[in-house]
Amino acid sequence: MDSPNLAIDSLDCVVGDFSLRGVSLSVPGGEYHLLLGPTGSGKSTLIKCVLGLLSPSAGRILLGGEEITSFPPERRRLGYLPQNYALFPHLDVEQNILFSLKSGRISSARAHRDLEGLLSLLKIESLRKRRVRELSGGEKQKTALARALLARPRLLLLDEPFSAVDEGSRRSLWLELKRAAGEIGVTVIHITHHLDEAYTLGERISVLIDGKIRQSGSREEIFERPGSPEVARYLNYRNIFAGPIVKTESGWAVDLGHFRVAPPGPAPAAETAEVCLRPQDLKVIREDTPVRDALRANLFSGEIVSLFAFPEYCLMRFKIDGSPRAWDLELKFPAFISIRHRLAPGKRIRVAAWAPSIIVF
Amino acid sequence: MIAPARQSPRSILFSAVTLGATAALAGFFLLLIGTAAWEFWRGSFVSPPEAGRVAFAVRLSLLTATTASLLALAVSLPVSYLLARRSFPGKALIDTLLDLPLVLSPVALGAMLLLFFNTPSGRLLERIIGPVVFEVRGIVIAQFCVVVGLCIRLLKTAFEGVDPGYEEVARTLGLDRAATFFRVTVPLARPGITAAFLLAWARAIGEFGATVVLAGAITFKTETVPVSIYLNFATADITGAVAFILILVAVSLSTLFAVRKIRFLNYG
């Protein structure tokens, strides 16, 4: 399948009170691209502009180098999976999948050949004659996917494709969806507001907040090096602090009053800096254990304020000695850590941040 | 054993009023139909209605009502789709204007039509479609004007009930606007469209005011079922009038039942 590049260039689009401003995005052919952002951030608006269902007020959309900004949707050859799948209720599964035949743009022989291939690729052969209303969320999703793929789209746009799938079957379907897209070789833009989904599926991720693309990059870049405090907050990262930059013996630090955070590398050319210590990057260190060099620059003594146990992890709030606040740092670690260190509220411990993991904005 | 909660006198009174009013009204209408049926049974032995005249009126009513409501449906489909899906300057004004025949007295509408067909533009229209005033064409036009507003209203509701998401998907699958309308919107709105047609048809069958002004009440020419009722009453032929009344009651009731059945045919 030919999979051209998609390039969105300074796109503006106004819908009611909401607007997309200066959105630029480029997706190379064959990539599985995640568009991540909170509900109401403009993700659906953006893909509706790409699909031609909404008209942008400025900017250009190019597919394989050809400008398609003013093309009607039926001429763009883009596959679309809307949030509720929009399967036609008056047609059965097979008729839904074959719907693009009605456009007269594809041959019947080819469509029927593709139909067999898609049914077996998505393992839905047995659903052929089923009525749409009898399908489960996952079956609906696969039917809608087959319907979009039968038209051999140049690009596939998925709008929250798992929103109508049961929590329990989601994770296995994530991988199935990605496998199917990979086998066909189609370029995919997948919209979600679920961090886990984006992390598992995205080769590259773009973060859209309040109608603006805040960061585009590989999964590691987004999750390890969020480009701004907004992105970090959206990723649920805590421990974001702003303060003046001070020189120290070993380099520089951000002075936060009762403690200092010392990131590695050269100091930014500014008076102040914002830093983030991801809760999962902070380590609990017993009072009697020696401290490694890489941790020594950011070692904080204090006491545990509270501990929250979740099925897969623990959250701990930690107050640094001399702090005027109720608590300073939030830590996230596997449950066994809590047992190994016999952690409990009120206990005195030390917490350290590994310098290379400190994010500087 | 736990005693059932006692209802306050106020809520007992409230239940009595709602039930009582419903029973009284339904009983009253049943009584009306019963009276007509009794009159017919008693009188048909004395002076049976002329079979030929009844057959003519029924045939004419069926022909004109079917033609008028099909025309109204054909015109309403694009208009109501536009009103349901698009917003444009002056939409509220046009929407209100199209509602006018829904509330305007049919006699007034008929009189306006009669006046119009006496103007140069009216006569030009008559030259194109043939004579209208005091003709069968006049009946169709009068009925059309009365039911088209109803048709637009009902179809607009039917189209608004179709999620635009289906149309969007169809567009991305390669169908242009027109193909999307006929392949997706119309099939999904079909129960509503059928109901709109049936209700418009039933309303057209019963149309009297506008018809009688524009097409007159000419026996064996422009005598539809309601016109017949009027003519028979005017000549004190009660049995004749009642025969036509019962025909209308039967037609109206069966249409309403059919519409209820169709409304249940929901996809989903």
Side-chain angles (χ1 to χ4, degrees):
Chain A
M1 188 173 278
D2 71 320
S3 27
N5 307 322
L6 172 76
I8 300 173
D9 180 22
S10 322
L11 197 79
D12 288 355
C13 183
V14 182
V15 186
D17 293 341
F18 178 81
S19 62
L20 285 177
R21 284 153 298 156
V23 171
S24 292
L25 181 69
S26 94
V27 180
E31 181 172 279
Y32 198 104
H33 195 99
L34 257 287
L35 186 60
L36 177 66
T39 308
S41 58
K43 305 183 297 289
S44 295
T45 305
L46 178 57
I47 64 160
K48 283 193 174 183
C49 284
V50 176
L51 287 163
L53 300 171
L54 287 174
S55 304
S57 48
R60 299 190 309 156
I61 301 168
L62 294 110
L63 189 63
E66 180 190 23
E67 179 162 359
I68 59 165
T69 322
S70 55
F71 281 17
E74 62 270 21
R75 275 190 54 208
R76 299 191 181 201
R77 281 190 52 215
L78 303 177
Y80 175 41
L81 204 73
Q83 218 173 106
N84 55 3
Y85 312 132
L87 293 174
F88 302 115
H90 61 300
L91 304 175
D92 65 22
V93 167
E94 189 177 297
Q95 290 167 327
N96 260 288
I97 299 174
L98 287 171
F99 189 84
S100 49
L101 263 181
K102 295 185 200 286
S103 69
R105 288 165 204 262
I106 55 175
S107 86
S108 172
R110 196 205 85 189
H112 282 90
R113 229 179 19 251
D114 283 4
L115 170 72
E116 299 308 320
L118 288 168
L119 287 172
S120 90
L121 175 72
L122 298 167
K123 306 190 184 90
I124 51 172
E125 294 101 325
S126 59
L127 301 180
R128 254 173 215 276
K129 297 294 172 197
R130 290 272 288 281
R131 295 186 63 88
V132 167
R133 79 176 90 175
E134 297 162 2
L135 303 179
S136 71
E139 290 168 342
K140 279 187 183 157
Q141 188 216 59
K142 289 177 176 181
T143 305
L145 187 64
R147 177 179 65 180
L149 289 172
L150 192 97
R152 295 199 182 167
R154 297 189 288 173
L155 175 71
L156 188 60
L157 298 130
L158 314 173
D159 191 350
E160 301 272 3
F162 297 99
S163 59
V165 175
D166 297 339
E167 191 73 42
S169 20
R170 268 189 203 164
R171 282 169 196 250
S172 63
L173 283 174
W174 287 353
L175 304 173
E176 270 192 65
L177 175 68
K178 191 166 180 186
R179 175 187 59 90
E183 270 182 47
I184 291 166
V186 65
T187 314
V188 177
I189 295 181
H190 174 143
I191 289 185
T192 187
H193 65 269
H194 285 287
L195 301 175
D196 294 359
E197 197 173 312
Y199 190 85
T200 308
L201 291 173
E203 291 158 13
R204 284 211 319 139
I205 300 173
S206 292
V207 182
L208 187 72
I209 300 173
D210 279 341
K212 278 188 180 160
I213 299 267
R214 305 293 166 140
Q215 193 178 1
S216 256
S218 69
R219 171 174 64 195
E220 289 69 26
E221 280 169 334
I222 301 290
F223 281 89
E224 309 289 328
R225 296 282 152 204
S228 65
E230 289 83 33
V231 174
R233 274 188 207 101
Y234 176 63
L235 297 175
N236 261 331
Y237 294 170
R238 307 301 164 89
N239 313 327
I240 300 172
F241 306 103
I245 292 174
V246 291
K247 289 240 177 295
T248 61
E249 294 155 26
S250 51
W252 65 289
V254 178
D255 185 21
L256 299 164
H258 55 286
F259 70 104
R260 284 178 171 187
V261 175
E271 303 271 296
T272 61
E274 235 172 313
V275 290
C276 171
L277 308 169
R278 297 196 306 172
Q280 60 266 46
D281 292 333
L282 293 173
K283 309 246 175 317
V284 174
I285 296 174
R286 270 206 298 245
E287 300 249 277
D288 53 357
T289 328
V291 181
R292 282 188 290 144
D293 281 349
L295 297 175
R296 197 157 290 155
N298 293 285
L299 182 67
F300 314 109
S301 293
E303 83 179 38
I304 299 174
V305 175
S306 51
L307 266 175
F308 304 95
F310 292 92
E312 294 166 14
Y313 59 90
C314 269
L315 275 186
M316 182 178 92
R317 283 174 178 173
F318 175 76
K319 182 176 176 173
I320 297 172
D321 288 340
S323 169
R325 299 163 52 177
W327 53 275
D328 298 289
L329 298 173
E330 191 173 295
L331 281 79
K332 187 176 178 180
F333 44 75
F336 75 86
I337 297 281
S338 168
I339 298 162
R340 182 197 285 169
H341 294 279
R342 296 204 190 87
L343 300 178
K347 182 168 177 164
R348 286 198 56 81
I349 53 161
R350 290 181 299 171
V351 164
W354 185 51
S357 73
I358 297 171
I359 299 162
V360 183
F361 301 114
Chain B
M1 208 172 96
I2 302 163
R6 266 177 63 98
Q7 292 208 321
S8 71
R10 254 170 78 98
S11 57
I12 292 170
L13 182 68
F14 184 74
S15 302
V17 168
T18 52
L19 272 173
T22 312
L25 199 61
F28 178 62
F29 281 125
L30 279 176
L31 198 63
L32 287 185
I33 297 171
T35 311
W38 167 251
E39 274 298 331
F40 179 71
W41 187 75
R42 203 183 52 163
S44 55
F45 300 108
V46 191
S47 59
E50 293 168 57
R53 205 173 146 193
V54 175
F56 178 87
V58 169
R59 246 200 326 266
L60 183 64
S61 271
L62 290 178
L63 176 77
T64 53
T66 308
T67 315
S69 40
L70 280 176
L71 277 176
L73 191 71
V75 173
S76 305
L77 276 171
V79 174
S80 51
Y81 184 67
L82 182 80
L83 292 177
R85 283 287 187 267
R86 291 290 191 99
S87 56
F88 50 86
K91 180 178 166 180
L93 207 70
I94 290 178
D95 216 1
T96 312
L97 183 70
L98 296 176
D99 268 346
L100 187 66
L102 219 56
V103 287
L104 187 68
S105 160
V107 180
L109 195 62
M112 281 156 73
L113 281 167
L114 192 59
L115 290 173
F116 168 75
F117 280 106
N118 270 316
T119 61
S121 39
R123 276 193 289 273
L124 180 71
L125 187 61
E126 272 196 309
R127 278 232 291 287
I128 300 165
I129 62 168
V132 169
V133 179
F134 301 127
E135 294 287 343
V136 172
R137 280 189 199 84
I139 304 174
V140 173
I141 289 175
Q143 290 177 341
F144 169 85
C145 289
V146 170
V147 304
V148 76
L150 176 69
C151 233
I152 290 172
R153 200 59 27 214
L154 293 169
L155 287 179
K156 192 178 162 217
T157 311
F159 285 140
E160 280 166 351
V162 176
D163 183 349
Y166 293 119
E167 294 169 359
E168 291 178 348
V169 167
R171 295 292 300 281
T172 68
L173 291 169
L175 276 70
D176 60 19
R177 278 180 196 284
T180 300
F181 179 73
F182 289 111
R183 300 290 198 158
V184 175
T185 320
V186 168
L188 289 178
R190 185 160 288 146
I193 294 172
T194 315
F197 173 74
L198 284 177
L199 287 171
W201 183 79
R203 178 72 189 85
I205 286 264
E207 211 300 307
F208 172 71
T211 307
V212 86
V213 177
L214 187 62
I218 309 160
T219 310
F220 283 112
K221 188 175 179 192
T222 58
E223 187 183 357
T224 60
V225 173
V227 170
S228 257
I229 296 171
Y230 175 73
L231 288 177
N232 282 316
F233 261 113
T235 56
D237 180 358
I238 305 299
T239 319
V242 167
F244 287 108
I245 290 170
L246 290 176
I247 290 170
L248 280 190
V249 168
V251 166
S252 306
L253 277 181
S254 34
T255 310
L256 290 175
F257 274 119
V259 167
R260 281 186 158 265
K261 276 264 173 266
I262 290 163
R263 289 264 156 96
F264 281 118
L265 293 177
N266 253 331
Y267 301 111

